[in-house]
Amino acid sequence: MSGLEKSIHIKTFGCQMNVFDSDRMESILVRQGYRKEADLAKADVLLINTCSIRDKSEHKVLSLLGQLKPLKEKYPHKVIGITGCVGQRMGRALLQRVAHLDLVMGPDGVERVGELVEEVVSRGRRVLETSFDNQKERSYSQPAVIDKVRPSEFLTVMKGCDHFCTYCIVPFVRGREKSRPIAELLDDVRRFVDRGTKEITFLGQNINTYGKRTGESLAELVLCTNEIQGVERIRYVTSHPRDLGMDLIRQFGQVEKLCPALHLPFQSGSNAVLKRMARLYTREEYLEKIAALRAARSDIALSTDVIVGFPGETDQDFEQSMDVIREVGFSGAFLFKYSPRPGTRAFEFGEEVPDSVKTERLAHLQEVCFGKIHEENKGLVGSTVSCLIEALDKKGRYYTGRTPHGKLVHVLNAGEACIGKILDVEVTEGNASNLKGYYVGAPRQDRTRDSEKAVSA
Ligand code: SF4
């Protein structure tokens, strides 16, 4: 049986890298003759692209798999597959545990998804693919099948990670670092720009060491991208404080299209905890990098990740994380309770911090951190910010976009035609998680979807 007339649905959990992988899988399967199906229950092939960074993410996947059992019993011809990090981590055990699962594959199987699905469809076999590819570098072109223009695109430039932070599952499920060649990435960027994209965010688990085995570098990639006509904004994520070198730091003051925003996770403000996490820097070194970034670009917006309740974290350790939050004044933050991941070193550490303590610490951290962000956002009221309009927000109310500093903006008088445009927006409201405002030069009339309908009715 060929893919012709059959439909696929890919459900994606986790990070932007997974979104990118899902686009690639979809692209491969569509080229093979599959039709995209928006309704998961109606698709002939259902792939769930998964994340295993936290325990909770895995539970969501397993719970969805449970819900799909009756569907598979009713329509046994349907193919159900798990791809991505949970597939890699659980592998054969997942196939054994879930009888209605046909395919389990890890992130390195993306390019082979077509043949793997075909093997299930045509031979009726259950398939497991969790081997890592051993090429020195990775090569593939960006997804060809995209429904609509995305003003802001993510582009995966490398995979894997050579660090082994003791809490992290990534090196086990995504393997060692492998970078894509710059020339190929620039071709991808040009294709995005030709379709109307204005902002590119390069993605890598430890992006600062992009190209280290191939003699290329992130600084070089940024410089070359800056030269491409039509690119208006460049960003990259995720940086590691030890690997963020002065060449990259200086670029924030030198490269025109590089946005003044950087995500730099510190994870803990305590040197003792950082050591147990094997983060390879101290709190002092982290703060030195922050000072260098601000010296290079005084208005740079910094965001971070913090883990609370890492094994053995004392009240004093936690206070040191609070100090860093207070001292730096981040513009954005992802704050998490430590989640033990089987297979990592920290899983064996013991000295588990009780969940009630983790919850209390997290709440305290959130209050201070998000309070500061709220103050910063309120301080922007009355100013004019530049905003690239990306889409209607999730609730379908406002057209939204981001400033070069990465602030999310709901533009109250923007309509569909504004998507892909960079507008000057006067900020009228600063909330904890977003700004609201009106774009300058247009009537100040709220154009939520409902009011648009009302106008056109
Ligand atoms: S650098 Fe990031 S991806 Fe790599 S092991 Fe540490 S936390 Fe995980």
Side-chain angles (χ1 to χ4, degrees):
M1 226 183 299
S2 93
L4 284 170
E5 301 120 36
K6 288 196 169 288
S7 59
I8 46 153
H9 180 103
I10 304 180
K11 181 158 180 68
T12 309
F13 289 95
C15 63
Q16 280 300 333
M17 221 172 254
N18 267 10
V19 174
F20 187 82
D21 283 349
S22 292
D23 280 350
R24 285 167 58 214
M25 289 194 286
E26 188 176 272
S27 186
I28 290 166
L29 289 164
V30 167
R31 272 200 297 260
Q32 209 162 296
Y34 284 84
R35 174 178 57 79
K36 288 194 280 178
E37 169 56 62
D39 184 349
L40 174 139
K42 288 187 186 153
D44 298 300
V45 177
L46 287 76
L47 298 182
I48 308 166
N49 196 13
T50 60
C51 169
S52 65
I53 200 87
R54 270 171 281 283
D55 201 31
K56 211 163 141 190
S57 339
E58 278 197 15
H59 280 148
K60 273 195 207 164
V61 171
L62 295 173
S63 143
L64 176 61
L65 265 182
Q67 290 162 29
L68 292 175
K69 192 176 176 200
L71 195 69
K72 177 76 175 177
E73 282 169 355
K74 193 164 174 196
Y75 305 103
H77 72 279
K78 282 188 192 286
V79 173
I80 301 182
I82 289 287
T83 65
C85 296
V86 175
Q88 187 70 39
R89 197 187 78 72
M90 298 182 76
R92 186 172 303 282
L94 188 60
L95 214 51
Q96 283 165 348
R97 177 168 159 183
V98 184
H100 58 282
L101 196 53
D102 302 290
L103 167 68
V104 172
M105 65 171 238
D108 271 18
V110 167
E111 276 104 69
R112 295 191 54 220
V113 70
E115 52 186 286
L116 299 176
V117 166
E118 215 41 45
E119 202 172 325
V120 179
V121 171
S122 56
R123 300 205 190 148
R125 292 232 297 257
R126 300 180 81 206
V127 172
L128 173 71
E129 175 52 280
T130 51
S131 56
F132 281 120
D133 89 44
N134 291 317
Q135 294 168 43
K136 236 173 86 201
E137 44 183 278
R138 300 264 293 175
S139 222
Y140 51 79
S141 60
Q142 50 100 355
V145 183
I146 300 249
D147 293 321
K148 51 185 175 187
V149 172
R150 291 193 285 226
S152 177
E153 275 285 1
F154 291 88
L155 183 58
T156 297
V157 304
M158 63 194 294
K159 59 145 286 199
C161 182
D162 288 351
H163 286 306
F164 278 87
C165 301
T166 55
Y167 54 84
C168 182
I169 195 76
V170 166
F172 302 96
V173 292
R174 294 219 172 227
R176 300 295 81 73
E177 288 179 19
K178 289 188 179 74
S179 300
R180 300 177 60 203
I182 285 189
E184 184 183 290
L185 292 168
L186 297 179
D187 282 347
D188 282 359
V189 171
R190 286 188 201 97
R191 273 195 290 271
F192 282 140
V193 168
D194 287 347
R195 289 200 307 236
T197 293
K198 295 214 165 76
E199 176 180 287
I200 302 285
T201 303
F202 295 123
L203 295 176
Q205 245 94 31
N206 182 20
I207 195 141
N208 307 138
T209 54
Y210 162 80
K212 77 175 182 193
R213 291 197 177 91
T214 55
E216 298 187 309
S217 71
L218 179 60
E220 200 183 336
L221 175 63
V222 168
L223 278 182
C224 294
T225 310
N226 194 56
E227 296 302 313
I228 296 179
Q229 223 184 354
V231 172
E232 304 271 351
R233 295 175 173 187
I234 305 166
R235 305 179 193 274
Y236 54 78
V237 75
T238 298
S239 289
H240 186 289
R242 198 202 59 173
D243 300 324
L244 182 75
M246 278 312 292
D247 55 341
L248 292 170
I249 291 176
R250 279 192 212 103
Q251 283 193 331
F252 284 99
Q254 296 167 343
V255 180
E256 185 204 355
K257 296 174 184 174
L258 182 61
C259 288
L262 184 74
H263 186 69
L264 195 62
F266 76 86
Q267 305 299 13
S268 170
S270 153
N271 285 339
V273 174
L274 287 172
K275 197 166 180 194
R276 283 203 301 282
M277 288 176 164
R279 287 291 288 175
L280 311 175
Y281 55 85
T282 61
R283 162 207 181 89
E284 293 74 21
E285 285 161 348
Y286 180 84
L287 293 172
E288 276 166 25
K289 298 267 164 127
I290 296 290
L293 283 161
R294 287 195 164 141
R297 178 82 199 232
S298 57
D299 65 336
I300 194 164
L302 298 161
S303 56
T304 199
D305 294 343
V306 188
I307 295 172
V308 298
F310 188 75
E313 184 191 67
T314 62
D315 285 344
Q316 290 76 14
D317 291 325
F318 172 67
E319 266 312 311
Q320 291 181 329
S321 293
M322 291 290 295
D323 284 348
V324 174
I325 287 284
R326 288 190 198 100
E327 187 173 335
V328 176
F330 292 98
S331 299
F334 296 96
L335 313 174
F336 304 103
K337 289 198 268 187
Y338 167 70
S339 170
R341 308 307 298 122
T344 61
R345 269 169 58 208
F347 191 74
E348 313 295 335
F349 281 179
E351 296 184 79
E352 190 63 23
V353 174
D355 193 57
S356 57
V357 175
K358 286 187 199 169
T359 304
E360 202 178 305
R361 287 180 187 167
L362 182 66
H364 192 24
L365 198 63
Q366 284 170 334
E367 191 188 329
V368 173
C369 188
F370 297 144
K372 266 181 167 290
I373 295 169
H374 195 177
E375 285 307 310
E376 181 182 82
N377 288 352
K378 282 198 282 192
L380 289 169
V381 172
S383 67
T384 300
V385 294
S386 162
C387 180
L388 171 61
I389 306 296
E390 293 176 31
L392 203 56
D393 73 343
K394 280 188 186 143
K395 290 183 183 160
R397 295 183 64 206
Y398 304 115
Y399 287 90
T400 66
R402 286 193 186 267
T403 68
H405 295 85
K407 294 276 180 198
L408 180 68
V409 187
H410 293 321
V411 187
L412 306 175
N413 57 343
E416 178 86 26
C418 296
I419 292 181
K421 298 208 165 67
I422 297 181
L423 307 177
D424 282 338
V425 176
E426 189 187 326
V427 179
T428 53
E429 201 178 315
N431 305 305
S433 59
N434 61 55
L435 305 173
K436 285 197 172 87
Y438 293 89
Y439 85 87
V440 180
R444 285 206 168 193
Q445 170 193 352
D446 286 12
R447 290 188 63 187
T448 61
R449 227 182 188 182
D450 286 346
S451 61
E452 270 183 327
K453 275 185 205 153
V455 169
S456 59

